[in-house]
Amino acid sequence: MNHLNRIPEQWNRTCSEYPKVATVHQLFAEQARLFPSAAAISDAREHVTFGELDRRANQLAWFLLRRGLRPEGPVGILTRRSASMVVAMLGVLKAGGTYVPVDEHCPAERLRFLIEDAGLKMLLVDEANQARVQPLSVSAVLVATAVGEQNGASIAPPTSSGPLSRAYIMYTSGSTGTPKGVEIVHRGIIRLVRNTNYVEFGPSDVVAQVANPAFDAITFEVWGALLNGARLVILDSDTVLSPQSFARALAAEKVTVMFLTSSLFSVMAATVPAAFGRMRTLVVGGDAVNPQAARTVLETAPPERLVNGYGPTECTTFSVCHLIESVAPEARSIPIGRPIANSEAFILDDRLQMLPAGAAGELYLGGDGLARGYLNRPELTAERFLPHPFDGAPGARLYKTGDRARYLDNGVIEFLGRTDHQIKFHGFRIELGEIETALRKHPGVIDAAVTVLRTSDTDERLVGYVASSPAEAVTEAMLRRFLGERLPEYMIPSHVVVLRELPLNAVGKVDRSLLPRPVSTAAVDGQTGTELEDQIAKIWRQVLSLPSVGLDDSFFDVGGTSLTLALVEDRLRAIVTKPFTMTDLFRYPSVRALARFLSARQEDQQSALVGAAAERARRQRSALWNRPSPLAAGERSC
């Protein structure tokens, strides 16, 4: 066989049987009929059976239809991670609509953009988020109220939804500074979680829900559980951010299947590597998996299956997966693997010609997971979703990922990096250009550049650089506050370095290799503290790779993140006897305030930092819990 023929005829022969003519809500209804009394969802407040979830979602669907929801009409969901969130997702689908998940901590400017761009007339909210929506030009409806108003309407309404109907719109970062909405259809979701080959779900499984609702890993979590009769357990963010508490919760809930971002996986591997030993399948992804972290888990207490999951939002969460069975001591990366069932992967050159194994090129993805395209962005859709060059079936397409990769001789794909300035950061896909565009909107900024600085195996930071206008002085704190009003927390750089001008190369572009490392401004000459303050400061320096820290600087203002705070918590427990929680670390984000709290007999409410520092801490905690060419009726499917 010609060596190029292996790629389409062997390595991309992934067709398998799955319910491709069904919709998500039809498959859920089947599970509700099979297991009406079985637990469907558990969260901190309630346990909901499949039968009860079906009833509530049907009532919400009737409410939406009586409010005028049309087929594929968009409905925003702005709630905490809870059973109500899932009721909202399912109820919108049962009404034939499209759900649009919104990060509950996204800035007001971004929320207004999503409402306008998606054409939202209604946001389903919970009590915690109801007030946020009141000033906006959209109707806010409490999920519980909508369900209660339709008491008795427990039968599912008829809809015209089909497998190619739009199920949800997920917004991802945009290089021009404008987020873009990715339109996902029912078939893409079903092919991800039913009769696939990288994971198995069944009625005996317990699936953890830890992802931000605005991150497409939630598709794997929620529908992987509910379309297969499994129980979805929603773990609160305080628990997940504390490695020891997280490990205890996984054991107590008997979690068998979970997705974890690579960054959080690295933190868990460094602190409680035995946490996953009772699991059947742990899928890790969102960005490159740390080989040392994977090796540590495999050598300590591995799950039955440790899987590296790869895929952009445009291909419905995962397209390529790799079973990690061992990691060589000298390994510097882990392959992303092979295309999963009913998916395709090709490595192509600039002329869209297939490249042989070993040759590096751009990764293109195909199959039943492809999105329709980008909402209201036909030009971008045409640019990224191309006619399939190797399949003449009507409507067959490939998605241009922008990722560099190569096939190895055994058919496994190795990820080699990006062809542009897009990154994966703590599981979120970020266009550095969107942050740069936001910085340039400040009147004191002439130009901007953003890059990623890796400080350790478990820590990497976004760093911004600006050329400031001589006419208007700007400071790092000023620019971070400016970004905080426009971008979600996970997109705000840990440091913003103010320069007179950005270094340029010979062709006039920013030379990122010449951008200086940020210098900590936290040091205070001659500053000394108590013994406990010195111990806390030492832990900060170790975790954040800082030469020194000030007693009154906020952890998050010197480069800390939710994930690095988890490392701080783990090391603090070795030296502190007083009980404390992860929430306490967020409430007392300076060395002095935290030491005062930990050494006090009773909690001193006045020691908590307030104002901007406290707000930044709250936003950091939320950040971790956080992707015209429609599918033709004859689009190719396996």
Side-chain angles (χ1 to χ4, degrees):
M1 175 181 292
N2 183 299
H3 64 285
L4 282 178
N5 290 342
R6 293 183 301 175
I7 297 173
E9 296 183 16
Q10 291 184 1
W11 299 343
N12 279 291
R13 184 168 290 178
T14 64
C15 293
S16 67
E17 292 296 324
Y18 73 102
K20 63 178 61 177
V21 298
T23 62
V24 169
H25 49 284
Q26 287 171 347
L27 294 179
F28 170 80
E30 290 179 4
Q31 300 302 313
R33 286 194 294 270
L34 289 171
F35 311 108
S37 301
I41 308 173
S42 302
D43 65 16
R45 291 164 290 278
E46 62 179 331
H47 300 275
V48 182
T49 66
F50 273 87
E52 175 64 13
L53 177 57
D54 191 48
R55 183 185 65 81
R56 292 188 196 177
N58 288 340
Q59 291 175 335
L60 177 58
W62 279 111
F63 173 88
L64 294 173
L65 289 171
R66 287 167 181 162
R67 291 286 291 265
L69 182 66
R70 297 180 178 276
E72 296 194 354
V75 179
I77 299 176
L78 180 58
T79 69
R80 295 164 296 179
R81 296 184 306 108
S82 62
S84 289
M85 173 192 72
V86 181
V87 170
M89 295 166 66
L90 183 58
V92 172
L93 295 184
K94 281 176 170 281
T98 301
Y99 65 85
V100 184
V102 180
D103 182 350
E104 64 172 326
H105 297 288
C106 75
E109 182 175 314
R110 194 179 185 89
L111 178 56
R112 283 192 291 269
F113 169 82
L114 297 186
I115 290 171
E116 181 179 350
D117 189 68
L120 299 180
K121 305 300 183 186
M122 180 189 302
L123 274 171
L124 295 172
V125 300
D126 55 13
E127 292 182 354
N129 288 283
Q130 189 174 22
R132 286 197 66 198
V133 185
Q134 290 176 351
L136 304 174
S137 58
V138 66
S139 172
V141 176
L142 283 169
V143 175
T145 300
V147 169
E149 284 186 11
Q150 304 302 308
N151 192 21
S154 58
I155 305 301
T159 71
S160 58
S161 297
L164 302 184
S165 296
R166 191 173 64 183
Y168 67 81
I169 301 170
M170 187 78 69
Y171 277 85
T172 69
S173 180
S175 59
T176 63
T178 302
K180 51 186 184 292
V182 182
E183 300 180 284
I184 298 297
V185 300
H186 286 254
R187 179 174 291 176
I189 299 171
I190 296 168
R191 137 269 174 217
L192 177 72
V193 300
R194 285 290 296 262
N195 299 5
T196 187
N197 59 350
Y198 71 99
V199 64
E200 290 184 4
F201 296 99
S204 63
D205 280 311
V206 178
V207 181
Q209 199 286 298
V210 301
N212 187 310
F215 177 34
D216 70 345
I218 196 170
T219 306
F220 170 87
E221 297 169 334
V222 170
W223 304 122
L226 299 185
L227 301 194
N228 292 283
R231 177 168 69 96
L232 182 74
V233 56
I234 301 175
L235 302 179
D236 66 85
S237 57
D238 286 344
T239 296
V240 178
L241 281 172
S242 171
Q244 299 293 341
S245 298
F246 193 12
R248 288 193 294 270
L250 294 177
E253 296 288 354
K254 297 182 172 58
V255 171
T256 60
V257 180
M258 184 172 67
F259 169 83
L260 210 57
T261 61
S262 302
S263 48
L264 186 52
F265 174 70
S266 292
V267 170
M268 295 295 289
T271 52
V272 279
F276 314 114
R278 300 180 183 181
M279 287 187 189
R280 285 202 308 108
T281 303
L282 173 63
V283 183
V284 180
D287 48 18
V289 177
N290 184 322
Q292 178 58 48
R295 186 185 308 112
T296 299
V297 169
L298 289 174
E299 293 176 351
T300 304
E304 290 182 23
R305 291 171 55 84
L306 177 61
V307 176
N308 183 10
Y310 166 90
T313 302
E314 289 85 348
C315 299
T316 318
T317 311
F318 300 130
S319 294
V320 177
C321 287
H322 177 67
L323 179 63
I324 308 173
E325 298 180 292
S326 63
V327 180
E330 69 280 4
R332 302 183 64 179
S333 65
I334 292 176
I336 57 175
R338 301 171 182 269
I340 65 173
N342 303 294
S343 300
E344 297 176 307
F346 296 91
I347 314 296
L348 307 181
D349 64 16
D350 293 341
R351 299 174 299 160
L352 300 184
Q353 298 298 306
M354 204 180 308
L355 291 171
E362 185 169 354
L363 178 59
Y364 288 75
L365 301 173
D368 289 353
L370 263 61
R372 278 187 182 178
Y374 300 109
L375 180 68
N376 304 326
R377 306 282 291 276
E379 297 85 2
L380 184 60
T381 297
E383 175 186 325
R384 303 302 294 269
F385 293 85
L386 308 178
H388 201 311
F390 316 116
D391 190 330
R397 300 172 301 156
L398 289 180
Y399 171 68
K400 177 182 172 68
T401 67
D403 288 336
R404 294 181 65 251
R406 65 178 177 180
Y407 263 112
L408 303 179
D409 286 336
N410 60 357
V412 169
I413 299 171
E414 180 182 26
F415 175 78
L416 300 175
R418 288 291 299 175
T419 63
D420 54 22
H421 296 306
Q422 183 189 106
I423 63 166
K424 284 290 190 73
F425 187 72
H426 295 171
F428 290 90
R429 192 175 75 186
I430 296 174
E431 294 276 6
L432 297 181
E434 182 173 357
I435 308 173
E436 293 167 352
T437 298
L439 281 169
R440 292 188 190 107
K441 291 180 179 179
H442 191 283
V445 172
I446 298 173
D447 199 5
V450 180
T451 187
V452 177
L453 175 66
R454 179 173 287 278
T455 59
S456 69
D457 286 343
T458 57
D459 181 33
E460 59 182 11
R461 304 175 198 168
L462 287 173
V463 180
Y465 298 85
V466 301
S468 64
S469 168
E472 184 168 348
V474 295
T475 66
E476 179 178 20
M478 181 189 302
L479 292 171
R480 279 213 302 266
R481 284 196 299 270
F482 181 80
L483 291 178
E485 297 169 356
R486 291 158 175 80
L487 299 175
E489 179 66 24
Y490 61 85
M491 294 180 69
I492 299 176
S494 298
H495 302 278
V496 180
V497 181
V498 180
L499 305 170
R500 286 191 175 183
E501 59 185 21
L502 300 182
L504 305 179
N505 58 24
V507 296
K509 295 184 177 181
V510 175
D511 190 336
R512 295 173 186 270
S513 67
L514 296 180
L515 292 170
R517 289 178 66 91
V519 177
S520 171
T521 59
V524 179
D525 292 339
Q527 187 179 38
T528 59
T530 65
E531 180 180 357
L532 180 56
E533 287 171 343
D534 289 343
Q535 289 176 313
I536 295 172
K538 181 180 179 180
I539 292 173
W540 281 29
R541 293 195 302 270
Q542 293 171 340
V543 170
L544 299 179
S545 301
L546 293 174
S548 55
V549 295
L551 296 181
D552 294 307
D553 289 288
S554 168
F555 180 78
F556 305 107
D557 286 337
V558 294
T561 66
S562 300
L563 293 175
T564 49
L565 191 62
L567 295 174
V568 169
E569 183 217 24
D570 184 66
R571 299 187 187 191
L572 269 179
R573 294 198 184 279
I575 65 170
V576 174
T577 57
K578 177 178 177 176
F580 66 91
T581 67
M582 195 69 174
T583 300
D584 295 325
L585 300 188
F586 282 102
R587 293 175 61 199
Y588 302 93
S590 77
V591 171
R592 193 191 306 275
L594 180 59
R596 186 177 301 170
F597 164 72
L598 293 174
S599 59
R601 291 188 177 182
Q602 293 185 347
E603 182 177 301
D604 179 3
Q605 294 291 350
Q606 300 303 314
S607 66
L609 293 185
V610 296
E615 172 64 10
R616 182 163 173 78
R618 181 189 67 80
R619 285 162 57 86
Q620 278 282 353
R621 183 171 65 176
S622 73
L624 186 61
W625 317 106
N626 282 325
R627 204 155 310 250
S629 181
L631 282 169
E635 163 140 29
R636 173 192 177 277
S637 63
C638 290

